[in-house]
């Protein structure tokens, strides 16, 4: 079993670590030149602020809705990322840092999967102030799927996908564009051919997938 820990709204969460009063307040973080939105708190998402939005087009929205706007501070984000990863490193035998806010963990020797994931989540929040969601499943791609649901729909922020029937149900509800490894181009290509969920992709003929999505698509 493989677990994926993903920091929630990482850049926005980093700003909250040093300004706790910003909890529950809408936050956006802008790119280096303050040109575009590169991170949003859940509150900002609910206001309809899209990722990549040009900041100047939303100035009135930010002002009217009380959105707090930050210039990116990558030194801060990198430092907090290291703290998160070092905290997790103490809890697992093997891990792979995938990005500044994501890490895969080897759970093959873990007997109580959900309990261990909750323990890690709690420890990271306590030691670093950063909230994380954790998905656990037999493969990296499925761990990504589990994390997607954990982040969006599970109150505890932890989901284990182990039972084949549960995995199938999760894939049937997952839009193809949300599947790790399927970019915009493939998502559009597949949707036009009636492949609208992750389960639809799994059900395709392997030769067709190899021809149209290369070996990488076949492995996925």
């Amino acid at each position: 079993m493989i677990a994926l820990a993903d920091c929630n709204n990482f850049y926005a969460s980093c700003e909250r670590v040093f300004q706790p009063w910003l909890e529950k307040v809408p936050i956006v973080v802008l790119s280096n030149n303050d040109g575009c939105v590169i991170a949003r708190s859940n509150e900002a998402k609910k206001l309809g602020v899209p990722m990549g939005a040009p900041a100047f087009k939303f100035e009135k929205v930010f002002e009217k809705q009380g959105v707090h706007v930050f210039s990116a501070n990558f030194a801060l984000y990198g430092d907090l990322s290291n703290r998160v990863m070092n905290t997790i490193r103490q809890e697992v035998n093997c891990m792979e840092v995938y990005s500044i806010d994501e890490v895969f963990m080897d759970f093959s020797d873990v007997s109580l999967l959900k309990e261990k994931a909750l323990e890690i989540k709690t420890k990271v929040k306590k030691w670093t102030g950063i909230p994380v969601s954790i998905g656990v499943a037999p493969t990296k791609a499925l761990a990504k799927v589990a994390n997607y649901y954990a982040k969006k729909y599970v109150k505890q922020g932890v989901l284990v996908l182990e039972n084949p029937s549960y995995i199938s149900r999760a894939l049937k509800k997952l839009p193809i564009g949300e599947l790790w490894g399927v970019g915009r181009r493939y998502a559009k290509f597949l949707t036009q051919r009636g492949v609208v969920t992750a389960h639809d992709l799994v059900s395709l003929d392997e030769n067709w997938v190899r021809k149209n999505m290369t070996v990488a698509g076949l492995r996925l």
Side-chain angles (χ1 to χ4, degrees), residues 41 100 113 167:
S41 66
I100 192 171
L113 298 167
I167 292 174

Side-chain angles (χ1 to χ4, degrees), residues 8-28:
N8 300 342
N9 308 318
F10 182 53
Y11 295 168
S13 294
C14 288
E15 298 294 345
R16 282 176 170 160
V17 169
F18 294 97
Q19 300 186 69
W21 62 272
L22 289 171
E23 194 70 34
K24 306 297 183 182
V25 173
I27 296 172
V28 298

Side-chain angles (χ1 to χ4, degrees), residues 41-104:
S41 66
N42 287 334
E43 296 78 12
K45 293 176 183 178
K46 289 178 181 178
L47 293 175
V49 180
M51 182 67 85
F56 75 92
K57 289 187 177 182
F58 283 82
E59 286 180 353
K60 291 183 179 179
V61 174
F62 295 159
E63 184 177 352
K64 182 179 179 180
Q65 300 293 342
V67 178
H68 289 258
V69 182
F70 293 89
S71 299
N73 183 345
F74 292 112
L76 170 67
Y77 309 151
D79 179 67
L80 280 170
S81 173
N82 287 333
R83 295 187 192 185
V84 170
M85 301 309 171
N86 288 333
T87 302
I88 292 175
R89 190 170 283 111
Q90 298 175 27
E91 295 296 319
V92 295
N93 293 325
C94 182
M95 58 182 266
E96 176 189 346
V97 177
Y98 179 65
S99 68
I100 192 171
D101 60 350
E102 293 178 280
V103 56
F104 288 105

Side-chain angles (χ1 to χ4, degrees), residues 53-211:
F56 75 92
K57 289 187 177 182
F58 283 82
E59 286 180 353
K60 291 183 179 179
V61 174
F62 295 159
E63 184 177 352
K64 182 179 179 180
Q65 300 293 342
V67 178
H68 289 258
V69 182
F70 293 89
S71 299
N73 183 345
F74 292 112
L76 170 67
Y77 309 151
D79 179 67
L80 280 170
S81 173
N82 287 333
R83 295 187 192 185
V84 170
M85 301 309 171
N86 288 333
T87 302
I88 292 175
R89 190 170 283 111
Q90 298 175 27
E91 295 296 319
V92 295
N93 293 325
C94 182
M95 58 182 266
E96 176 189 346
V97 177
Y98 179 65
S99 68
I100 192 171
D101 60 350
E102 293 178 280
V103 56
F104 288 105
M105 301 169 283
D106 182 4
F107 265 34
S108 58
D109 61 344
V110 176
S111 56
L112 300 175
L113 298 167
K114 184 176 180 180
E115 288 79 358
K116 183 62 175 179
L118 283 169
E119 180 185 332
I120 292 173
K121 173 183 169 66
T122 301
K123 185 173 182 178
V124 170
K125 176 64 174 177
K126 182 178 180 180
W127 285 28
T128 71
I130 300 295
V132 301
S133 298
I134 301 179
V136 188
T139 70
K140 286 182 178 179
L142 288 172
K144 276 272 194 178
V145 173
N147 192 282
Y148 171 86
Y149 286 109
K151 190 182 292 286
K152 286 181 171 287
Y153 304 112
V154 181
K155 187 175 182 179
Q156 289 181 307
V158 168
L159 179 66
V160 177
L161 285 181
E162 187 174 18
N163 185 297
S165 63
Y166 287 165
I167 292 174
S168 180
R169 285 171 56 189
L171 295 180
K172 285 178 180 178
K173 294 182 179 181
L174 185 72
I176 190 63
E178 297 292 344
L179 185 62
W180 184 43
V182 176
R184 286 185 182 179
R185 185 170 64 87
Y186 273 135
K188 182 178 179 181
F189 172 81
L190 291 167
T191 301
Q192 290 174 342
R193 286 155 180 80
V195 182
V196 296
T197 69
H199 188 269
D200 293 336
L201 177 61
V202 172
S203 304
L204 289 174
D205 177 75
E206 290 188 3
N207 291 327
W208 187 92
V209 174
R210 182 192 295 272
K211 178 181 178 182

